[in-house]
Amino acid sequence: MPSVPSKTIHLSVNGRPVEAEVECRMPLAELLRDRLRLTGTHIGCDTSQCGACTVHVDGVAVRSCTLFAVQADGSEVRTIEGVGTAGEPHPLQAAFQEHHALQCGFCTPGMIMTALELLRTVPSPTPETVRHYLEGNLCRCTGYYNIVKAVLAAAAETQGTGRPADEGSGHASL
Ligand code: FES
Ligand code: FES
C-alpha cells in the first residue's frame, strides 16, 4: 500500500509556536484535538455544516473540520482555549454564562469563535445581524434566543469599556 504523503508544518497556536509532521489529508481539527489536546474545538458533523469546529486562522473564522492542517502552515491559529481564562473570561464567555446561552455546551466554542469575528467586524450589531452571522452555527439545545441575547450583551459591554471585542485575556498552554 502506498504511504500517505506527509509534510512538516509550522504554525502558531494560541500564541505558541507549533511544529508538526502531518499527513496531507489531516484536518486542522484533528491536529488541534488529537495532537495538541485542544479539545475545546468540537467536531459535530465533520462536513462544514454545524460550526462546532470553528477556529480562527489569521483572524478569520474557519471550519477546522474541512481545512487541512497543511493549509494552516505558517498561519496564526486561535482556538477557544486562547480566548479568556476560567478566572478572567472574555466578555462573550461571561455573557454566555450570565444569559444562560448554553445547555450541553457542545456548540458553544464554535459559537464564541464566530461571535468574536462578528464583534470585530460589526462592533454594535443588531439582533438580526447576530442571527444572520450565527446561522451557520447549529445548536440543538437552546433555541438560540439566549445566544443572541448574550452576543448583544457582550457587544454592549465591549463598546462600553472600549475593550476590543476579540481581545483575549490569556492563552492556554499547549
Ligand atoms: Fe466542522 Fe461541523 S464539525 S462544521
Ligand atoms: Fe447544546 Fe448548543 S448548547 S448544542
Side-chain angles (χ1 to χ4, degrees):
M1 181 183 291
S3 62
V4 178
S6 62
K7 184 178 182 217
T8 300
I9 61 172
H10 299 84
L11 60 164
S12 160
V13 180
N14 298 332
R16 304 288 178 93
V18 169
E19 177 183 303
E21 181 167 347
V22 297
E23 290 184 357
C24 292
R25 65 186 179 185
M26 176 188 282
L28 178 60
E30 190 178 324
L31 172 68
L32 296 172
R33 288 179 53 82
D34 297 349
R35 294 275 193 90
L36 305 181
R37 308 306 302 163
L38 294 170
T39 54
T41 297
H42 293 160
I43 298 176
C45 64
D46 226 356
T47 52
S48 247
Q49 295 179 70
C50 74
C53 65
T54 304
V55 300
H56 291 188
V57 175
D58 291 334
V60 177
V62 300
R63 307 288 164 98
S64 62
C65 69
T66 44
L67 187 80
F68 293 120
V70 292
Q71 291 177 285
D73 190 15
S75 299
E76 290 188 15
V77 176
R78 186 182 185 194
T79 70
I80 191 65
E81 288 87 350
V83 182
T85 63
E88 193 182 347
H90 184 279
L92 259 175
Q93 294 167 314
F96 266 60
Q97 183 174 14
E98 185 181 341
H99 294 280
H100 308 289
L102 65 149
Q103 290 179 29
C104 78
F106 191 84
C107 69
T108 311
M111 287 283 184
I112 298 270
M113 299 311 289
T114 303
L116 275 173
E117 184 186 60
L118 165 64
L119 296 188
R120 191 187 67 245
T121 53
V122 187
S124 299
T126 63
E128 291 69 32
T129 303
V130 175
R131 287 193 194 95
H132 177 68
Y133 214 88
L134 294 179
E135 69 184 5
N137 287 74
L138 305 185
C139 174
R140 61 184 182 182
C141 303
T142 65
Y144 301 100
Y145 181 82
N146 284 354
I147 292 175
V148 175
K149 209 164 134 186
V151 174
L152 292 170
E157 161 80 9
T158 52
Q159 286 295 290
T161 60
R163 182 179 180 175
D166 66 343
E167 177 188 298
S169 55
H171 295 303
S173 57
L174 301 176

